[in-house]
Amino acid sequence: MSKTFGNKKTIFLMVFPGIALILFVIFIPILISLYYGFTNYSGFAGSYSWVGLSNYIRIFTKDPQFWNCLKLAFQQAVIRVIIVDGVCIVMAIAIDYMAGRWESLFRVVFFIPCTISVVVWGKLFVQVFNPSYGLINKLLNGVGLSSLARNWLSDPNTAVWSVHFMIIWIAFGWSFLYYYAGVKNISGDLYEAAMIDGCSRFKMYTRITIPLLRPAMEVCITLDVIASLKQMEIIMLTTNGGPGYQTRFLANYIYQLAFDNNQYGYGNAVSVIFVIVCILTMVLLRRLFAVINKD
Amino acid sequence: MANVDLAQFADNIDKSFNKNNRDQNSIARKTKAFARTANIVLVGLFALVQLFPLVWMVNYSLTTSAAVYGDSILVWPEEFMWDNYVKAWTSGNVARYGLNTLIVVPGSVLLSLFITMLLSYAFTRMQWKLRSAFYGITMLGLMIPLHVTLLPNYLSFQALGIADSYWGLIIPYTAFNLPFGVFMMTSFIKSNPVSVEEAAIIDGASVWRVVFQIVAPMVAPALITVAIMDFLSCWNEFIMAAIFISKETLKTLPFSIYLFQGAYMSDYAVQFAVLTIVAMPPVIAYLLMSKKMTKGIMLGAIKE
Amino acid sequence: MKRSTRLLALMLSMLFVLLLASGCGGGTSGSEATSQASAATGEPAQNDTPASDDVVTITVFSPNVDRSSERGLVEEMLANEYMAEHPNVRIVSETLENESYKPKLKAYIASNSLPDIFYIWDQPTWLDPVVEAGQVEPLDPAYLTDQDFTEASWDGVMYGEECYGLPNQSEFYIMYYNKEIFADNNLEIPTSFEDLLAVSKTLRDNGIQPCAMSGKEQWLGNNLIWNMMIQLDPEGFPESREITANRTGRYADYAPFVDAQSRFMELVDAGFFHDNWLNADNSEMYNMFASAQTAMMYFAGSYGFITSNLPEGMEDKVGTFLFPASANDPGDNGDMCAQYVTCYSIAKGAPQEAFDYLYWMMEKEHYTKYCWDHAGQLTAQDVAEYVSDADKAGLKGDILDMSNSVNIAGGLIWSETLNSTFVSAYTDLLSTMWSGMIGVDDMIAQLDTVADECYEEIQNG
């Protein structure tokens, strides 16, 4: 057995195409990034020089924007895990409970928003948040709360939260799918046994369903955190990072540095730190999951 | 007598208990029916809101640009402007770009699935020294900001002569699809009992047969999910396409959208028409696949 | 089992098809599709016959994605005309919209593979590094001496004695107004900044949003600030460039700078711009004005842009005026800069045919005439001889009149004279100030700090 599963030739043939692709398209560029992170390369043609650690020193000592981006990402991650995962678990259970026609209808419907290009979402939100024609202000005016109506995306008090709201709004599809699959994967025998023991429905969900969704949760939370760090397009399409750089996420910042600011070297240093932050977060999450699973 | 009385009493108790029980049942049934309806209504509302952008997009694709600044959030067009679609189709170059997308996207989805399957199996079942190192490298791909890879990749693609060809998109799309796919597939494969595979090997099957004839069908729901994920990410991808493709004859569908996004393009209605055209194939593809996807999920549920 | 075998077979056959398809992409077949595409775009067919030795292909790279109107149409028409006259030349165009044009241009530059003719900004942040890297061919403006280029338009493209680009656009910014809305509200064209504020107030009182503006990207607002700065100091305004490029002083000490920023904020606070202006892009701005939701709009003097999507009957309602100076300003309404910020350049090693085509294309009777007739836009050359009486009578003529009343020709906007890090920091600060998070003085103090840092960085190489 171990001979078959350890056959070097088989392993090589299995692994080579994929690893070659990943090394070539993703890993080598990152190594190049690592190199440019130590230079003042503009991204243009022309000469550049080795600047040692000064890019990194700049990130840590005088780049408030970088830290703002990080703060945004982690804010987003926390809100997302709480709201998206919470809502999706409830929805998955609710839809499973329906059974029959309704179940198959909603199951299909919930994923559709994920198939729509983010360009559409961006345009929709710009419209919804529009101070004079947007849905939100119209509703507020309609119920006599005109004092709350505002320019949601550019008012410094609401811009960040409006952006978090938008991103979360479009994030349900995939998580729902995972949780729904998770709920469906729970064997009916367990419920029956619980029923015989006189468990209430609510107890059944908290004692059986949710604990058994743990693997799905791990996947979803991991993906949520990564997605929070990598937000980009929806920002470009709506606030463009404003007011100031309040709503600019890391990926937007890196893009701006590399392609608008002619600071390719510095942009690469930022992305190296970005990758390190990602890795650290992932490691931490895994530790956290391991601790929880042990209990 | 006493005996009879006792029996009567017991009978009475039994009767009343049964009656009580029946009442309780009907209450339970009523609450259940109410919960059911409330459930459907609440979930239905949420679903409507989630579907709204689709309705909104189609709605505005059939009006005039000025309608966007009207008083209502949806408008009933005075006249259905089907012409917007004609304009979108022709000036958006949809036919030509669509053809390219139909080559590039299925190409990279299939290639991704094939490689994902191989890699995931190697990462879960095969025993080799560098396994966790390479798994780590693959997972790193999840966290890479795409934009820092653009310039280095453009340079290397040019050197290899694959910039400005279908491969110039299929290769990077596939590579960027792999980490997610592997991430999902490894956990699915892990959750399957290894005993079936071992039995097959003892029966003399090769590892390749095991991967494609035993494991692949077992993880079919996951494969379909990965396929949809890959499909969606490639279908709407623009920035790599913009950098790696220069020839008019090789451009893909998102170019159609961005043809109308320039600073000087102000015809909103046509923008919505082109967005609708580009958005429809994924929606339809998903609707077609969704049955299989859930069937697979159900199968998985029964198996366990 | 059977199904999975079929799946595998399907996968493999798809791979095979792909291999074939990629062969096609390389240019061996697929002629049908190619000619279809060219029919749709009006672009010359390519790849359908193997290029014979005597046919030279020239690539033109530009951000004019729309090939059926404005400058895209002009490029298309001129290319087709030239090809008809020169059967040995094939002109292929590649276009990307602005946002993706810039990264692609950078990718071309980084890989030293610029297309033969390309459109670029003749600013220190764009053309300079490309010239320094030796990726651009020097041009000989002698071919064009009698082509009536505005003297000032050459400033940006000359490097010492050498010329590295042919300027192709004159940019100036004016106010458009809706005559009907003005009449309905008994308003006159404002002749001073104070009038403008009064007009704005009347419109707001009547529930009308006064002026459409795009503030999602800050350059248009910055342009207006520049405009006001010149009106505040028509003689001394180049000082703002000196302060930026050489840090000869501080913005906080240069009164016209501070005043212009404050004046802009005065407009913001008065509700002069439309409600959503901070999040509006150019298309939103345009649509607000075109659908008569606002009474005015501040934008480039370009007839083609203004009329490209106007609803029927709207064109007659559009009037123009110059952004008014304050009654006490030393400068008048015409005191602003016409900018020449874009040009066509030729990549190192491009064939002689590319030079021939570019010189031909930039002849007045081609580029300028076509831009005027088909795009309603002004170039860096004098257009007078192509203006018909019919043109003069309408909006097109109005815009031309406006351009003739612009007092100052040429000159880079002050904010572009340092580096792009500075520009980004400045635009972020503007957006912060416009949204009310910081005041003018704070903004300027921070701007001085940023400028010092950027300047220092440049000095240290």
Side-chain angles (χ1 to χ4, degrees), chain A residues 40 43-45 130-133 151 153-154 156 236-240 243-244 246 248 255-256 259-263, chain C residues 99 103 106 109-110 125 129 133 135 209 216-217 275-276 278-279 288 293 420-421 424 428 431-432 435 437 461:
Chain A
N40 61 2
F44 265 126
N130 186 302
S132 19
Y133 310 99
N151 196 344
L153 289 175
S154 50
M236 272 180 142
L237 289 161
T238 54
T239 64
N240 204 24
Q246 273 208 339
R248 190 169 294 143
Y255 184 82
Q256 189 196 34
F259 289 107
D260 290 343
N261 286 16
N262 297 350
Q263 298 194 46
Chain C
E99 275 309 301
K106 290 204 171 171
I109 295 165
T125 45
Q135 292 195 24
Q209 306 184 45
K216 187 181 172 195
E217 283 165 17
D275 295 343
N276 195 38
L278 282 169
N279 278 304
M288 289 293 289
Q293 299 285 328
S420 33
T421 311
S424 287
D428 279 356
S431 135
T432 314
S435 69
M437 287 160 72

Side-chain angles (χ1 to χ4, degrees), chain A residues 153-167:
Chain A
L153 289 175
S154 50
D155 185 322
N157 298 313
T158 54
V160 172
W161 299 104
S162 305
V163 164
H164 283 316
F165 173 85
M166 283 188 317
I167 300 173

Side-chain angles (χ1 to χ4, degrees), chain C residues 35 84 111 114 123 147 161 163 175 187 208 225 249 252 265 296 331 371 376 391 429 433 448:
Chain C
S35 49
S111 63
L114 277 163
Q123 298 170 354
Q147 296 299 322
E161 295 295 296
C163 166
M175 297 293 296
L187 294 169
I208 298 165
I225 293 169
M265 284 312 287
M296 293 172 270
C371 277
D391 289 344
L429 281 172
M433 177 174 77
D448 270 316

Side-chain angles (χ1 to χ4, degrees), chain A residues 99-112:
Chain A
R101 242 175 335 141
W102 290 106
E103 177 178 4
S104 33
L105 174 73
F106 286 129
R107 186 183 60 209
V108 172
V109 162
F110 271 98
F111 186 71
I112 289 180

